[in-house]
Amino acid sequence: MSETTVAEVMAELAALEDPKMREANEKRGDDHGVNLSKLRAVAKRLKTQQDLARELWATDNTAARLLALLICRPKAFEQDELDAMLRESRAPKVHDWLVNYVVKKSPHAEELRVKWTADADPVVASAGWALTTERVAKKPEGLDLAGLLDTIEAEMKDAPDRLQWAMNHTLAQIGIEHAEHRARALDIGERLEVLKDYPTPPNCTSPFAPSWINEMVRRQASA
């Protein structure tokens, strides 16, 4: 893709910039002001363009990187490339989309899960736990669920926010999906009280693991 194409896309993103949206997003650490529905509409028009995606990523602009993740070909990235991209992801939304829209579809997902979970950087480790949550739900064969609960029990209470959130999600997923570990997952959640007081809007499920587990199990039973 030519530079003019990147320039045209950047100009379009700049035109979509909304100062009020940027202000709201910046409170969450996301330095962009583009409505995500409008961003998805741009992606839909551009369709899959791997070269353009790489060039947009290289701009280090958050809106451009989000767009890149929507138009890229997830299986086209090498493992080292995805590792570098994650470590470059400053904005939480870029980090989340990279893991959920790209890495989860990559043939390198399992190798990266193991590598990232053991990383000393808590933000990188949180990506490993997000991939672990996916495996707990969809492909638990070979996972040491009891061992995961041991680690969560020992480390989640004092983990930094992003890592704590990801570990809590794994805890809840184990409790929801695996009845044989449910009692222990509930017990760990009750004792650690992580996210117990998290403000939850009406009609939304609390991220407090025991509440989350019980609600999802109730829904499954009544489905």
Side-chain angles (χ1 to χ4, degrees), residues 60-167:
D60 194 25
N61 174 284
T62 294
R65 284 188 162 183
L66 291 172
L67 181 60
L69 296 171
L70 293 174
I71 66 169
C72 73
R73 188 174 290 108
K75 293 179 181 177
F77 292 107
E78 297 298 329
Q79 182 175 327
D80 288 349
E81 194 174 8
L82 291 172
D83 183 62
M85 289 168 72
L86 185 87
R87 294 171 195 277
E88 293 167 10
S89 297
R90 296 171 292 98
K93 183 67 74 177
V94 172
H95 175 104
D96 291 343
W97 281 21
L98 175 62
V99 172
N100 287 298
Y101 296 170
V102 181
V103 180
K104 285 182 180 179
K105 298 174 183 176
S106 164
H108 309 297
E110 180 59 16
E111 293 91 338
L112 290 170
R113 182 188 76 82
V114 173
K115 178 177 181 174
W116 289 344
T117 304
D119 200 277
D121 182 334
V123 176
V124 174
S126 74
W129 280 93
L131 294 172
T132 299
T133 301
E134 175 89 348
R135 268 205 65 187
V136 166
K138 296 186 176 177
K139 204 162 67 173
E141 298 77 23
L143 275 183
D144 178 7
L145 297 177
L148 289 173
L149 291 175
D150 289 343
T151 302
I152 291 167
E153 186 170 22
E155 299 177 14
M156 182 172 75
K157 181 78 171 176
D158 299 317
D161 287 352
R162 296 284 296 279
L163 178 55
Q164 184 184 70
W165 188 274
M167 294 175 89

